[in-house]
Each structure stands twice: as structure tokens, then as C-alpha cells.
Amino acid sequence: MLPAAIMMDQQTVSAIQGFLGSQAKCVTSIEAGLVRDWVKTSRILVLVQNNNEHGLLVFVSSKPNVTSTADLSVEKAFPINEHFKCEIDTSGIDVFAGADVYVKVTYQKQKLLFELPFSPRTNTFVAEVTRAAEASSLRVGPPPSFTWLQAYVPLNVPHTLWFDLSDDNVSHHSVGSTSLKSGLAFDDNFSELMTSDNWPSNTELKKSDSQESDLDNSENFGNIPRQSIAMGATPLAARESVVKLQMTMREEDYTDLQNFRVFIGTWNVNGQAPIISLEDWLAPKSDLLPPDLYVIGFQELDLSKEAFLFNDTPREEEWLHAVSNALHPEAEYKKVKLVRLIGMMLIIFVQVKHVDCIQNVAAETVGTGIMGKMGNKGGVAVRFDLHSTSVCFINCHLAAHVEEFERRNQDYSDICARLVFNQFKPPKFIKDHQQIYWLGDMNYRIMDLDTDQVKGLIDKQCYPTLLEHDQLTIQHGFKRVFVGCIEGPVRFPPTYKYDPGTNDWDSSEKNRPPAWCDRILWKGEHISQLCYRSHPSLMISDHKPVSSVFEVGIKVVDNIKYRKIYEEVMKKLDKLENEFLPQVTVDKMEVHFERVTFIEPVSRFLTIANTGQVPVQFEFIKKLNDTRYCKDWLNIKPYMSFIMPGEKCDVELEVYVDKRTAFKLNSKQDTLDDILVLHLEGGKDLFITVQGAYIPSCFGSSLDALVRMPFPIREVPTAKLIDLETHPKEIKAKEPPFEIPKELWLLIDHLFKYGLTKEDLFQQPGLHQEIQQVLEKLDTGKPEHMPGSVNSVAEALLLFLEALADSVVPTIFYQRCLDCSNNFILCKQVIFQLPQVHRNVFLYIMYFLKELLHHSAYNKLDPNLLATVFGSILLRAPPNDDLDINLPGVRRNQQLADRKKATFVYHFLMNDW
């Protein structure tokens, strides 16, 4: 049997390309399991290209290892055009989502279901096919003919059975007197589609639609021949996964689409209070029908320093109250969720009659400021299941300024990568939802036109011409942001920037060109936009609110039909389970990481193959007396999964040494070695060893050790480094210790020379590659000059201080600092009681920050901002792994402590000492 879901080796790729000949190119390929009712067989999916046309071929191999074109035959061929769709579907299998994914290939009414393990390789394949489909949708001119695909159709199968060369519906084609639809069962029922092992013969084409299906006859095991187990057609005999798989395959038999009306609104309120009614926005008179669902996003809810630094604001309650009072009067609503990060807030309301239909509600936030600490830009999101459809709403506020469109693109990518709903097992990302809606102040501007040209085109309502210069339209066209998302036609004036209180364009000295900063996009099936508009009558902000109303199709379960099908599935499963025991092989029992450095992830892969005859659920479990299944510097993805017989799962082991783990590795209190326990549900445990070599770094060292190193840390012998970290004051040296670490001096000296007047210092993130170069410079002394931009050096400074073995103000002084934070004299007394090197470093940093504030006219730095950023780094709480920061009481205490730390540092910035 072919191992499923691995990318092709070079020999197989060569055989596929040889089969295709010179007229077509193999773009990408992957092995997968074709799910047919109760069995799964191996197939090879190949994306092929001919000039600008693409197709998807489904290959069957006659050998486990493909060596030549003779081993391959094409089973099915699909042209990639407007009728084609390829998508990853995890709906209905949440228990094991992340272990297996189901890729649905749809062409008109034809549907195939393939099973692949959750992996980057699967995502890459689907992404390539999706890009091909998107490229097809962007074609202009006459539709492609796809005649070149005919070369790959087997001679004994009529071309009309393979793909539709015309644009007619597939059900219009026929062979003899039998329609393709009835003969091939290409309707919406997965189960009927998958009952035949091969493409149907002429006899099979004449079967009646009324013939009893395999599921209808629960005693029929004809589709699960025992002999096929050895050949790779494997019974789906694990109860939980098979039940969910079978129910997913027959979902359309027990669900109906029910239309819901969804209102989505976004408004950057510029820090203003809700002193006006919001009815013209949320319930305009033209909206006669009340929405079933309200999704309302705000940006810049509060522009005060208090909100920016401590995420506290009375505006949350004020705007929530204003929204609640302005919802449609013809329905009663209940709040589903509110989530806020600084000035970004997202509120979801639903009609009371639908409350019980919403499940698995979760909210998350992502800040895209420096080191992820600043949440003035980023995104907030809410996800839930509405009946049987998963929905995700993301309210975002991306980077400002006309020239920063690439930073906006990066903010979008960061939100997609980092916004994870960790409440689920495995976690859910934005992309793992059937319907996705983006809203917010995306800040994309109009470029290459001056203000007068823009206003002139607006006066003529030449919006299509203006949109040709719109950065979002351009970047979306390049597929750099919001790939796969749709925005409706924009037929309203730009929503930014206005003089507050008026409908007049910006008359300030900057005279900004108007722009459509505020947008709404969506992705998913069964979504119809009814309107997309702005609301110029609301004038308290320099933005205008935007809204859109959608009619969306939601899958609703018919409980009677569901129970009937569920009972059929369970009855058959009762006869299949308990036949086999789980068995796996692992390709390596020892995993080696040669060279690991600070904050540079290193990955290795091991393969777990199911060599038994039943599905296997595995999980890495913690050892006796351990709190985790692996050490803190190791991450395993997936740490639990589900493997069908004959299939395999690629497991990624990633070593990542950060500020939490660096000191123990530097001082050899810990080493890069671990023993992992791989547990098989219902089977035995396997033991896997992990080993590696960590290269010491000044990041994660102690101040006492660093001031006693006259050379870069890479030149210090290991034995001496251990002594420096464990007994620094007992080591006799020819030279006295430095007053401060040389590494700290190099960083601050560089910022002093080149960064005093730099705007947005300690606010704008650096580049990871440049930060790595700065680390290398400090650890090795090479190159001679400090590499990287000022922002990268600034972030490296923060990272250096944050990674110290003990904070600049040692943790034993932490509580005293908080207790005396309101009294500068007491604060000074604490500082002058610190160990000498800690005191020197603290005062040195304060001198530097005060110098920065002397240049605030140029760098725009504020003492409150610096106090907040450095307060959280210089004063570090003693470690307490048992605290859950998400608990309300703990969160309030943390916010209070953050205020006190900022106040403590603020004293030294504003007073002489």
C-alpha cells in the first residue's frame, strides 16, 4: 500500500512527468486516501499545467513504490475552471481535527473525499490547487477548452464521463439512455458516490437510483473485503473517528440550508464618546428586516495613554450601551461575546431565538506592536458554531501611513499566523472555519494621485478609477493579503479623512487624500452580500462608519434524519470494532539536533506509520512526576493524532530556546536531551530520545557572569562558563569586573549614536533576521560594526534585558518595589540597596532613557510609554507557573502590578537622583 499524504519522491515525480509527456507539467503532487464509504484506498493527486490551464488528475499506482510510467494509470481527471473547488474540510470531526483532514474535490455535482494527515505539506498542496483555481477565475477572454486533458482519459471510458468540456451542467450528458448523474450517483450524497471500487461499467451505469445502498442494509459488508486490508483498503474501524467521518460524508442527507441575515459594521471612532444615536448606522430605516446576527467592530475606542498602557477604558461600557440601544427595534437581542484589545473592540449580538443554536464561543486577540506588547494595532476575533457551520469574525486595525502598505500586509499575516483559539484540541486557526469575515480600519490608502485629483474623482463618483489606485485592491490582486476573500462593489465615498463634526474632507495642514480605510471582506460558501455602504450622517469621528448586510446559508441539522443515519452507522460499526489491535512503527527512535542557538527554531521530523489493521490514536504523554510531556524548550506538533491503517503521520519536533529556558542551558542546569513517551490508545508505549547541543549566548546569562567576561561568550571555555554562572564571585581574575556588561554598553552606545532622534523607537518592531545578526555580533564579536537597523538594535536591547537570568531589579526586591512605587525617596533607597552590578545597570539605563526624553521633540517619545515598556522588563515578578492569567482576579492584579512597575521607573525618568 502507498503511504498516504507524503510529497512525492524524485523517482515518483519523474514517473508522473514521464506519463504526462511534454504537453503538461506536474506542478505538485501528494499521496492521499480516497474515502469510499467504509474503506479507504491510496491515490496520487497531481496538479498539472498546460500553458495557462490547470487540471487535477487522480492516479492509481500498481506498485507500492512507483518506478516508471507503467506503474501509473489515471482514474479521474478534472479541469480547473469555475466549476472546480478543492478545500480542506474539518467540519464534523473536531475531536480529531489536526490529526486528519478531509480534502473535498468538487466539480459541478461531482464530489470526491480524500483523507490526509494534518501537515504543512497538505496545506501546501491545497494552497497550490486553490491558487490555480483563483488564476482560472481571473482569466479574461473565451473560456479554455481543456482538450489537452483528453490525452489522459483511458480508452475504455467515454470522454463525457470524465469531465465537462462544455459549460453545460454535468447532468445533461448521457451514455446511451442513462444520464451521467444517475449512473455515477454524482449527487450530493458522499456515500452513494463512493460505493464503487472503480469507475462504473456500462452495467453499473444502469443501476436504479432506488436500489438499496450499503448503509441502508446494515448487514451488508460487501464493501469491506477482508482481503483488501493487506492491499491497503482499510476498514475505518475506530468508533469516534469513523462515526464522525461517516456523518460528515452524509451531512447533506441530514442538514438543510437555512438563511440568516448578518449585519457587519466597522467604525474608527477616533477616541470619541458615543454622544449621538447609532440608529442610522445599526438600524437604518431602509433595513426593514431585523438581522439575525450583529457583528460590530470599533477601532481607536480610546486614545488616552491610560488605555494604551493599561488596556483600561470607560469607553467600553459607553459604546456597548450605545450599541445595545440602537439595534433593530423589531427583534430582541442578546450579547454573545465582547472582546477588546486597547482600542479595538468586537461585539456580537444574536436574536434571542437563536441563542441556543450558538456553541463553542471563543475570543482571542493579537497585538502587532513591538515584541507583541503594543496592542494599538492588531486584531480581535470571535468564533463560534452557528448550528453546524463554523464562523469567525476578525476586527483588525492595521499599520497607518500611506507608505506602510507592506507593514499592513505583514500585520495581516501576523494576525493570521498568531491568532489561535487554544481552547480547542487541537487549536483552531482563522482558516479552519467555513465562513470568515474581516472588518476594520485596514488603513490602505490611495496612491499615485494627489489630494486634488482624488477629490475631483470623488466629486464625479468615479470610484472604479479611484479603486485602481487603492492599495488594498492592488495588494489583494497580487494575492499578498486576504487571499481567497471577497469584497463587494464599493459604491460609496472614501470613509477617511474628514474634519470631525462635518462631512468635509481633511482641512488640516497635512491635507490627507481621502481613502477607503474601513473595509469588510468575507470568505466561504453560501454568502450573499445584500448591501455595502457608509453612513455619512455620523460625524463625530474623522472616519465614517461602514456596514454590510449579508444573507448567509447556515447548515441546520434535521434531528430526526440525523438520528436515523447515526443509528445505521453505529449498527454497522458494532460489527467491525474489536477485530484488531493498534500497531505502529517509528522511523527513528533517536532524534538529534546538532547546533541550537538562542531564539532560532530548529526542527526535525519523525514518521509514525500505522502498520496494524485498525486506526491508531497516539499521544505523547508526560512521565511520572513531570508536569509536561516534554521539556520547555521542545514543542511537538502534533503531540496527539490519529492514523488510519497503512497511513503515516509526520511529527515535527521543534527546539526553541527563549528567555525562559536559556539560563539553565547556559549554566548547564539543563541540557538539550529528553525522553519522550509515545502512548498508543489501547496499545503499548514507545520511548524516543531527543539530543542536541546548545550554543551559549549572552542572552540568557546573568549580569554577574557577563561583567566577568572580558571576551565574547563564545570564546569562554565551557567549564569556566559554568563556574561564572554558578559561583561568579569566587573566581579570581586578572582584571576587575566591568561596571556593566560590555554587551549592554554596545547596544546602548549604538542607540545613543544613531537612535536619539529616531521616531517610534521602542515602538516599531525590528526584523528577526537583523536581530539574529545583532545576537551573533554580541556573542562572537563579529562583525566589527553593529549590524541591523536602529529598530532592530532597540528590540535586541529589550530582548537582552528580558532574557537575563535574573531581572535588572532582582526578583527578591520585586515586592518592595511595588510597595514603595508611590514614594520616590523609598524607590531610591531600594535601588541603592541592590547588588552593585544590578544597581549600575539600572542607573545606566535610566541615564540613557532620560537622554532620549531630552530629544522627545524629535523622537516623539513619552515618559509614560518608556516607563511602561521598561518597567515590565526591569522589574520581573518571581516565577509562578500555577497562575492562570485569564482568570479575572489574576488579570486585575497583573494590571495593578504593571501600573506600579511603570510608576517606579517613571520616578527615575522625571526626577534627579
Side-chain angles (χ1 to χ4, degrees):
M1 172 181 174
L2 286 172
I6 61 172
M7 303 304 287
M8 303 292 99
D9 58 35
Q10 189 58 46
Q11 192 173 33
T12 304
V13 172
S14 299
I16 292 172
Q17 188 59 62
F19 186 98
L20 296 175
S22 59
Q23 66 171 334
K25 171 188 174 184
C26 171
V27 178
T28 184
S29 54
I30 194 170
E31 296 181 7
L34 173 61
V35 179
R36 287 178 167 169
D37 203 10
W38 299 95
V39 299
K40 180 171 68 175
T41 52
S42 289
R43 296 291 184 267
I44 302 176
L45 304 181
V46 180
L47 175 65
V48 295
Q49 180 179 5
N50 176 282
N51 295 322
N52 293 323
E53 298 176 6
H54 291 82
L56 183 72
L57 302 183
V58 182
F59 279 85
V60 178
S61 172
S62 60
K63 294 182 179 179
N65 297 311
V66 177
T67 58
S68 69
T69 59
D71 301 333
L72 297 170
S73 59
V74 176
E75 184 183 43
K76 295 176 177 64
F78 298 99
I80 296 180
N81 57 17
E82 69 273 18
H83 302 299
F84 177 90
K85 182 182 295 184
C86 178
E87 58 185 336
I88 294 180
D89 179 16
T90 57
S91 62
I93 51 172
D94 286 346
V95 170
F96 298 106
D100 293 305
V101 293
Y102 296 89
V103 174
K104 291 200 296 188
V105 174
T106 307
Y107 184 78
Q108 293 183 338
K109 292 191 176 183
Q110 308 177 37
K111 295 184 181 180
L112 296 179
L113 190 68
F114 297 92
E115 182 179 293
L116 302 92
F118 179 79
S119 70
R121 294 167 177 173
T122 299
N123 288 338
T124 299
F125 178 82
V126 176
E128 288 287 348
V129 176
T130 302
R131 273 193 287 271
E134 290 172 347
S136 173
S137 68
L138 296 175
R139 286 179 62 99
V140 294
S145 63
F146 293 104
T147 53
W148 55 277
L149 274 180
Q150 294 183 13
Y152 308 115
V153 177
L155 297 177
N156 61 340
V157 179
H159 290 169
T160 51
L161 289 181
W162 281 76
F163 55 86
D164 190 352
L165 292 180
S166 73
D167 285 329
D168 298 331
N169 188 286
V170 68
S171 62
H172 295 167
H173 291 285
S174 63
V175 179
S177 60
T178 307
S179 72
L180 179 59
K181 178 180 179 182
S182 61
L184 297 186
F186 276 151
D187 56 13
D188 290 337
N189 186 315
F190 281 112
S191 181
E192 291 181 25
L193 170 61
M194 304 303 175
T195 53
S196 174
D197 280 345
N198 298 294
W199 202 253
S201 64
N202 288 337
T203 303
E204 289 171 316
L205 288 175
K206 298 177 182 178
K207 289 181 180 178
S208 169
D209 286 336
S210 62
Q211 184 176 8
E212 186 175 45
S213 71
D214 180 52
L215 269 179
D216 291 333
N217 181 1
S218 60
E219 301 302 317
N220 182 4
F221 288 84
N223 279 349
I224 315 175
R226 295 299 183 263
Q227 186 179 3
S228 69
I229 295 177
M231 300 172 60
T234 312
L236 303 178
R239 180 175 294 268
E240 291 295 334
S241 64
V242 175
V243 168
K244 291 186 176 294
L245 173 62
Q246 291 293 328
M247 298 308 292
T248 298
M249 290 169 61
R250 301 194 62 183
E251 184 180 50
E252 296 183 18
D253 289 349
Y254 60 81
T255 60
D256 301 306
L257 278 182
Q258 179 177 322
N259 286 332
F260 280 69
R261 185 174 290 256
V262 179
F263 177 101
I264 297 180
T266 177
W267 193 9
N268 182 321
V269 296
N270 194 31
Q272 302 302 309
I275 57 175
I276 59 173
S277 170
L278 306 184
E279 290 183 3
D280 285 351
W281 175 34
L282 302 180
K285 294 180 180 178
S286 58
D287 290 1
L288 301 180
L289 298 176
D292 296 287
L293 198 68
Y294 270 103
V295 181
I296 302 156
F298 294 98
Q299 306 84 42
E300 296 189 4
L301 199 73
D302 191 336
L303 297 177
S304 68
K305 292 290 184 182
E306 185 82 4
F308 180 71
L309 299 177
F310 301 111
N311 200 21
D312 281 348
T313 174
R315 292 281 190 262
E316 178 178 315
E317 284 298 325
E318 293 172 5
W319 280 100
L320 175 60
H321 182 71
V323 168
S324 301
N325 290 337
L327 302 180
H328 203 288
E330 297 300 320
E332 183 181 356
Y333 293 91
K334 181 177 180 180
K335 185 180 74 175
V336 175
K337 193 70 175 178
L338 181 151
V339 58
R340 183 176 63 81
L341 176 65
I342 313 295
M344 295 174 288
M345 183 166 74
L346 181 63
I347 317 172
I348 312 285
F349 285 92
V350 67
Q351 284 196 35
V352 171
K353 64 183 181 180
H354 300 309
V355 167
D356 293 337
C357 306
I358 291 182
Q359 304 292 331
N360 301 320
V361 180
E364 287 296 340
T365 66
V366 166
T368 55
I370 185 169
M371 295 181 71
K373 292 180 180 296
M374 297 303 170
N376 55 320
K377 295 294 189 291
V380 295
V382 173
R383 65 87 54 209
F384 51 81
D385 297 324
L386 179 56
H387 288 284
S388 294
T389 299
S390 59
V391 188
C392 185
F393 301 96
I394 309 99
N395 174 28
C396 62
H397 192 189
L398 308 184
H401 307 306
V402 175
E403 68 279 4
E404 294 290 346
F405 63 89
E406 290 184 348
R407 182 66 211 178
R408 288 186 273 280
N409 295 351
Q410 184 62 49
D411 285 351
Y412 164 79
S413 298
D414 287 347
I415 293 170
C416 290
R418 292 168 47 203
L419 201 149
V420 187
F421 298 98
N422 287 302
Q423 301 92 322
F424 302 95
K425 188 178 181 181
K428 289 185 180 292
F429 291 81
I430 292 173
K431 64 180 178 61
D432 298 326
H433 295 84
Q434 293 162 308
Q435 294 186 0
I436 301 168
Y437 301 86
W438 288 84
L439 59 143
D441 179 1
M442 298 175 187
N443 254 324
Y444 287 95
R445 310 299 175 88
I446 293 172
M447 57 193 302
D448 301 328
L449 295 175
D450 61 34
T451 302
D452 291 337
Q453 290 175 308
V454 173
K455 291 180 180 178
L457 289 170
I458 294 172
D459 291 340
K460 298 176 183 177
Q461 295 188 3
C462 296
Y463 301 145
T465 303
L466 268 180
L467 286 167
E468 293 175 2
H469 300 271
D470 171 64
Q471 290 175 339
L472 177 55
T473 303
I474 295 170
Q475 296 301 306
H476 186 246
F478 290 152
K479 293 181 170 57
R480 293 172 182 167
V481 288
F482 301 105
V483 176
C485 292
I486 301 171
E487 183 181 32
V490 178
R491 298 191 178 99
F492 50 86
T495 55
Y496 175 86
K497 174 178 182 159
Y498 293 84
D499 289 335
T502 74
N503 279 322
D504 300 329
W505 300 116
D506 177 30
S507 62
S508 69
E509 182 179 348
K510 294 185 178 180
N511 191 26
R512 295 180 179 87
W516 284 285
C517 289
D518 311 281
R519 313 289 272 267
I520 298 171
L521 298 93
W522 72 91
K523 183 178 183 179
E525 290 186 333
H526 313 302
I527 302 173
S528 176
Q529 189 180 58
L530 303 181
C531 64
Y532 189 23
R533 63 210 174 179
S534 66
H535 301 267
S537 62
L538 283 77
M539 298 185 290
I540 61 174
S541 172
D542 55 357
H543 289 250
K544 299 300 181 187
V546 171
S547 71
S548 181
V549 178
F550 296 91
E551 186 173 81
V552 303
I554 299 296
K555 296 177 183 177
V556 179
V557 173
D558 183 319
N559 289 323
I560 296 176
K561 293 179 181 178
Y562 180 91
R563 282 195 297 271
K564 181 178 183 297
I565 294 174
Y566 182 83
E567 289 170 0
E568 292 172 356
V569 171
M570 294 302 296
K571 190 179 296 184
K572 190 151 192 178
L573 270 180
D574 286 341
K575 296 184 176 293
L576 294 176
E577 62 182 8
N578 298 324
E579 290 191 11
F580 307 101
L581 292 175
Q583 296 179 7
V584 302
T585 58
V586 183
D587 67 337
K588 56 177 75 73
M589 302 304 291
E590 296 182 359
V591 182
H592 295 278
F593 294 84
E594 286 76 25
R595 175 187 171 93
V596 178
T597 56
F598 184 71
I599 67 167
E600 190 66 22
V602 181
S603 292
R604 296 288 185 269
F605 291 86
L606 57 85
T607 299
I608 304 173
N610 185 348
T611 55
Q613 299 180 4
V614 293
V616 171
Q617 182 179 352
F618 74 81
E619 180 179 5
F620 287 92
I621 60 174
K622 61 184 181 181
K623 299 180 286 293
L624 187 65
N625 299 324
D626 285 355
T627 57
R628 295 184 72 239
Y629 56 85
C630 64
K631 290 187 177 181
D632 289 339
W633 41 260
L634 181 62
N635 188 32
I636 304 175
K637 296 182 293 187
Y639 75 92
M640 64 177 298
S641 190
F642 195 78
I643 315 176
M644 299 306 298
E647 305 295 336
K648 71 168 198 171
C649 179
D650 292 327
V651 177
E652 179 183 8
L653 278 64
E654 181 188 76
V655 171
Y656 182 72
V657 179
D658 60 10
K659 62 186 180 182
R660 300 174 301 117
T661 55
F663 172 70
K664 288 185 177 181
L665 292 170
N666 270 345
S667 61
K668 300 303 179 182
Q669 296 178 30
D670 190 14
T671 55
L672 282 184
D673 62 78
D674 200 0
I675 298 177
L676 307 177
V677 181
L678 177 62
H679 173 71
L680 306 182
E681 186 69 29
K684 61 182 181 179
D685 292 341
L686 303 174
F687 298 92
I688 300 170
T689 60
V690 176
Q691 293 179 326
Y694 179 65
I695 308 302
S697 172
C698 61
F699 286 71
S701 297
S702 67
L703 289 175
D704 281 321
L706 289 172
V707 295
R708 290 170 171 80
M709 294 182 197
F711 309 107
I713 194 170
R714 298 276 179 85
E715 300 179 14
V716 179
T718 300
K720 184 175 181 180
L721 183 60
I722 295 174
D723 290 338
L724 283 171
E725 290 292 5
T726 53
H727 309 290
K729 297 179 181 179
E730 298 177 8
I731 296 178
K732 295 181 180 180
K734 296 180 180 179
E735 301 293 335
F738 298 127
E739 292 187 359
I740 62 170
K742 59 187 178 304
E743 294 83 1
L744 177 64
W745 182 87
L746 287 169
L747 291 168
I748 290 184
D749 180 66
H750 184 85
L751 295 175
F752 186 86
K753 290 177 180 177
Y754 305 107
L756 287 182
T757 60
K758 174 67 174 176
E759 192 170 344
D760 291 336
L761 193 68
F762 298 115
Q763 299 175 72
Q764 187 72 18
L767 297 176
H768 179 76
Q769 182 179 2
E770 292 183 354
I771 294 172
Q772 284 295 128
Q773 293 170 356
V774 173
L775 266 67
E776 190 71 11
K777 155 70 177 173
L778 297 178
D779 286 343
T780 64
K782 301 175 183 178
E784 181 178 351
H785 301 289
M786 183 71 71
S789 66
V790 170
N791 284 329
S792 296
V793 175
E795 186 163 356
L797 171 62
L798 296 179
L799 184 59
F800 173 83
L801 296 172
E802 198 168 36
L804 288 171
D806 196 1
S807 53
V808 174
V809 177
T811 53
I812 60 174
F813 291 87
Y814 176 77
Q815 193 57 49
R816 288 179 58 189
C817 292
L818 297 191
D819 293 340
C820 69
S821 60
N822 288 326
N823 187 314
F824 177 49
I825 295 176
L826 294 179
C827 292
K828 282 200 301 181
Q829 291 177 0
V830 173
I831 291 301
F832 284 95
Q833 292 173 12
L834 300 183
Q836 183 175 349
V837 63
H838 288 262
R839 180 171 68 250
N840 291 346
V841 169
F842 180 87
L843 296 178
Y844 185 69
I845 293 171
M846 292 302 106
Y847 278 119
F848 170 62
L849 297 182
K850 287 171 71 73
E851 188 64 28
L852 282 177
L853 292 174
H854 289 156
H855 294 78
S856 60
Y858 302 99
N859 58 37
K860 310 299 182 186
L861 286 174
D862 177 271
N864 288 309
L865 174 66
L866 290 178
T868 300
V869 172
F870 280 86
S872 63
I873 293 175
L874 301 180
L875 283 82
R876 193 187 310 163
N880 190 339
D881 295 335
D882 297 330
L883 288 179
D884 185 352
I885 193 64
N886 293 316
L887 295 176
V890 175
R891 191 183 307 117
R892 285 194 297 269
N893 290 339
Q894 182 63 49
Q895 291 173 348
L896 180 60
D898 289 342
R899 291 169 183 264
K900 290 182 177 181
K901 288 188 282 188
T903 303
F904 186 94
V905 172
Y906 184 85
H907 287 308
F908 292 89
L909 298 181
M910 304 307 294
N911 295 288
D912 295 327
W913 26 271

